[in-house]
Amino acid sequence: MFTQVTLDKQRSVEHSRKIEFKGDEREPLLREMEESKIGISHQTLVSNVAEAAKFPQYFAALVATLGGFISGNCLGWTSPTNGPLIKDKEYGFPINDDEFSWISSIMAVGALVSGPMVGWLVDKVGRKNTMLILVFPAVIGWAFMVWAESVSMFCIGRFVSGLAGGGYTIVVPLYTNEYSETKIRGTLGTYFQLMLNGGILFTYVFGSIVNVFWLTVLCAIVPIVYGAAMLFLPESPIYYLKTKRVEEARQSLQWFRGRGYDVEPELAIMQKNIEIMESEKVTILEGFSTTAAKKALVIGIGVMVFQQLSGINSVIFYTTSIFTSAGASLNPSIQTIIVGIVAVVVTYISTLIIDRMGRRPLLLISDFFMAICTFFLGLYFFLQTNTSFDVTTISWLPILSVCVYLVMFSIGFGPIPWMFVSEVFPRKIAGYACSLCCMVNWLGVFLVTKFFSDINAAIGTYASFWLFTIISGIGTAFVYFLVPETKGKTVEEVQVLLSGGK
C-alpha cells in the first residue's frame, strides 16, 4: 500500500537538511519517514516541489550508453569484414567459412561469461567503476584483433572484447535506471539500444570506407574515449546509499536533479527503501522464492529469449541476398548501411514514444508484425525455390518485409528488453537477475550466429523464416498474457503488481 506524504511532512524532511550528519549516521534523514512503507513513490514525494532538471539525466544517459555503442561495434564488426578476411585474405593468412563463424560467434561466449563477474562487480566497486574497468578488456580485445597473426588471435580478441560488450549490457541499464526519474526512465532506458544500433552502423559505414585493420583501430579508440567521458559522471546515488555514504549520495542525486532542486524527500525514501531491503536480506535462492521474483524471472528471461529467437540476426545476415534476389541494384555495402540507418532512426523514435505508449503495447505491436514479416519472407523463398512461380512479379515483397521487420524490431523488441529487466526485479536480487537475463540473451546470440547457417541448410531458408514466425507468434502471446505494464511505476510498485496486488 502506497502512503501519501503530506506537504507538512515534506517540509519537515526538508528541515532535516539543517541537522548535522555525523559519519554515516542516517537517523536525521529518516526521522520523518518512520511511518512510511517500502512502496512509497519517489514522484509522490516530490510532486509539490520544483521540477527536477532533465538535461543532466539525458546527458548522463548519452555518455553512459556509449557502452552500448561499444557492444554494437563488437556485434557489427563481422558484417563488413567477412569478405575481406575470407576472400581477400587481407591479414595475409587463410580463413575459411567455419573459422569465421567461430570468430563471429565467440564474442557472444565472452559476453555470456562476463555476466556473473559483472553482477559481482557492480555491488563491490560500484556501477561507474565497473563501466571504467570494462574499458580494459574492450581495448585489449581490439588490440589482439588489430595485430592478429592467426585465427586463434582473432578468436581471443573477440572473446575478450565480448567480455566488455556483454558487461555493458548489464551495468549500463542498471546505472541509468537507478538515477532516472520515473516519468523519463523509459526514454533513457531505450538509449542503450539506440547506441548499440549506432555502434553497428558505425562499423557498417567505416567498414565500407577503410580496410579491416583501420576499422578495428577505430573500434579500439571508442572505449578509450568512453572511459575519459565517464570520469565526469557521478556514481549512482543508489550505490552510495547501499554502501552507507549518505553525503555522496546526496551530492550525486543533486547533480542528476539540478542545483535548484530539493533532493531531500527523494533521498529519504531511497534510503528508507534500502534500509528495509537490507533488513530483509536473503540468499539468492530465497530472493527468488517470492511470487513477484519468480514472475519477474520468467518475464525477464522470456523477453530476452524472444528478442534473439525472433530472427533479427538472420534477417540482418540475409539482407544483402534478399535485396539482390529481389533485383535491387544497390551496392551491398550501401544496402547494409541503409539497414543500419533505419534501425537507428526508428530506435530514436521509440525513445520519444515509449513513456507515452508504454512498454507492453510496443512489445505486442513489435512481435506481432515481426511474425507477419518473417511469414512473408518465408513465403517468398518458398515460391522462389519450390515452385515455378515468377517471383520477379513480387520483387517488392521481401524488401518491404525486411524494412517493416526492422522498423518493428527497433521500436519494440530491440530496445525494450534491455531496460525492462532492470524494472521488474526487486532491488535485493536485481544485480544477479539482470546478469542472468543478459547471459540468456548472449546465449541466444551465440546459438543463432553459430548455427543458423546449419539450420538453414537442413530445413531450407523458407522453413527457417517460418520457424521465426512461430516463435514470434508465441512471443506475442507471452507478452499479452504475462508481461505487465511498468510505465510510470517504481520498482516497488512493479513488485506489488507482480504479486497480484493493484
Side-chain angles (χ1 to χ4, degrees):
M1 182 174 182
F2 294 86
T3 305
Q4 296 292 328
V5 180
T6 64
L7 181 59
D8 289 337
K9 188 163 288 188
Q10 290 183 30
R11 290 170 177 167
S12 180
V13 174
E14 183 179 358
H15 176 69
S16 68
R17 296 178 67 185
K18 301 176 182 178
I19 301 175
E20 180 181 356
F21 279 76
K22 298 179 180 180
D24 291 330
E25 184 179 350
R26 293 169 291 168
E27 189 62 30
L29 183 64
L30 302 172
R31 188 169 295 150
E32 294 301 328
M33 309 305 297
E34 291 177 354
E35 296 178 359
S36 302
K37 305 300 181 185
I38 189 168
I40 299 178
S41 167
H42 297 178
Q43 300 306 106
T44 299
L45 285 167
V46 300
S47 59
N48 292 320
V49 296
E51 187 171 342
K54 299 296 185 293
F55 177 78
Q57 298 178 66
Y58 284 111
F59 175 78
L62 287 172
V63 173
T65 54
L66 278 172
F69 194 94
I70 295 170
S71 300
N73 289 163
C74 294
L75 288 169
W77 181 86
T78 56
S79 180
T81 59
N82 189 324
L85 290 179
I86 295 177
K87 297 177 182 179
D88 302 336
K89 298 181 178 60
E90 192 172 290
Y91 266 59
F93 54 88
I95 300 174
N96 60 41
D97 289 334
D98 184 64
E99 289 171 334
F100 191 82
S101 72
W102 277 109
I103 292 173
S104 299
S105 59
I106 199 70
M107 173 262 172
V109 177
L112 192 156
V113 170
S114 72
M117 175 188 68
V118 173
W120 177 81
L121 277 175
V122 292
D123 286 330
K124 292 299 179 182
V125 302
R127 286 64 163 145
K128 175 183 175 179
N129 287 335
T130 299
M131 289 186 274
L132 290 172
I133 289 171
L134 290 173
V135 168
F136 293 97
V139 174
I140 292 170
W142 288 116
F144 265 94
M145 295 158 64
V146 167
W147 291 290
E149 296 180 352
S150 65
V151 172
S152 297
M153 285 189 68
F154 268 122
C155 287
I156 292 172
R158 289 282 291 168
F159 178 85
V160 175
S161 63
L163 292 174
Y168 284 125
T169 65
I170 298 170
V171 64
V172 173
L174 180 64
Y175 177 76
T176 54
N177 179 69
E178 287 187 342
Y179 74 72
S180 303
E181 285 185 286
T182 302
K183 58 186 175 182
I184 62 171
R185 189 180 64 215
T187 297
L188 300 186
T190 58
Y191 277 19
F192 182 83
Q193 182 70 27
L194 177 65
M195 285 293 190
L196 189 143
N197 287 339
I200 294 174
L201 178 60
F202 177 91
T203 61
Y204 289 172
V205 172
F206 285 97
S208 66
I209 299 173
V210 300
N211 60 25
V212 177
F213 175 85
W214 285 110
L215 173 63
T216 310
V217 170
L218 290 173
C219 290
I221 294 173
V222 175
I224 298 174
V225 175
Y226 175 69
M230 277 300 303
L231 293 174
F232 295 95
L233 297 187
E235 177 58 85
S236 158
I238 293 292
Y239 173 73
Y240 277 138
L241 290 175
K242 289 179 71 173
T243 53
K244 311 297 187 294
R245 294 146 73 180
V246 177
E247 187 54 42
E248 285 100 325
R250 176 181 290 106
Q251 293 173 4
S252 171
L253 190 60
Q254 195 74 68
W255 190 95
F256 287 116
R257 299 293 183 264
R259 290 184 180 180
Y261 185 74
D262 179 16
V263 300
E264 293 305 318
E266 189 174 0
L267 186 66
I269 195 56
M270 282 182 176
Q271 178 69 352
K272 184 64 175 179
N273 287 339
I274 290 173
E275 184 182 69
I276 296 176
M277 180 187 73
E278 290 179 347
S279 71
E280 299 174 348
K281 186 171 289 186
V282 294
T283 64
I284 297 176
L285 291 178
E286 290 173 331
F288 282 107
S289 65
T290 65
T291 299
K294 290 176 182 176
K295 286 185 179 179
L297 186 61
V298 171
I299 292 167
I301 290 178
V303 294
M304 289 300 192
V305 167
F306 288 116
Q307 183 199 60
Q308 287 306 318
L309 299 189
S310 65
I312 179 61
N313 288 309
S314 60
V315 169
I316 292 176
F317 180 80
Y318 266 90
T319 295
T320 299
S321 62
I322 290 171
F323 283 12
T324 301
S325 65
S329 58
L330 283 176
N331 182 287
S333 297
I334 301 299
Q335 295 170 18
T336 307
I337 291 171
I338 291 173
V339 168
I341 292 173
V342 169
V344 171
V345 171
V346 178
T347 303
Y348 174 71
I349 293 173
S350 74
T351 70
L352 304 178
I353 65 176
I354 189 170
D355 280 320
R356 297 179 183 178
M357 290 188 64
R359 287 68 158 149
R360 191 168 177 271
L362 288 176
L363 287 173
L364 284 170
I365 294 170
S366 175
D367 223 14
F368 177 75
F369 282 100
M370 284 158 59
I372 292 176
C373 291
T374 51
F375 171 79
F376 281 114
L377 281 171
L379 178 62
Y380 177 85
F381 281 108
F382 177 80
L383 294 174
Q384 185 184 55
T385 58
N386 291 66
T387 71
S388 58
F389 183 81
D390 182 12
V391 293
T392 58
T393 60
I394 55 169
S395 60
W396 52 268
L397 180 61
I399 298 175
L400 177 64
S401 297
V402 168
C403 292
V404 174
Y405 181 96
L406 291 172
V407 168
M408 290 297 105
F409 179 83
S410 299
I411 209 168
F413 256 93
I416 292 177
W418 295 114
M419 49 83 62
F420 192 75
V421 294
S422 65
E423 295 183 325
V424 296
F425 291 107
R427 296 192 191 280
K428 57 188 175 184
I429 60 170
Y432 297 106
C434 290
S435 299
L436 178 60
C437 291
C438 289
M439 288 173 66
V440 170
N441 185 286
W442 286 109
L443 176 62
V445 173
F446 171 74
L447 293 175
V448 172
T449 305
K450 184 70 180 74
F451 298 110
F452 175 74
S453 295
D454 297 331
I455 295 173
N456 187 53
I459 66 176
T461 304
Y462 68 92
S464 298
F465 281 115
W466 282 344
L467 178 61
F468 294 136
T469 298
I470 294 172
I471 293 173
S472 292
I474 296 172
T476 304
F478 176 85
V479 173
Y480 183 82
F481 289 107
L482 293 179
V483 175
E485 179 55 72
T486 59
K487 181 185 72 171
K489 296 180 176 65
T490 64
V491 172
E492 292 75 30
E493 290 172 322
V494 173
Q495 298 312 299
V496 172
L497 187 64
L498 292 175
S499 299
K502 295 183 179 180

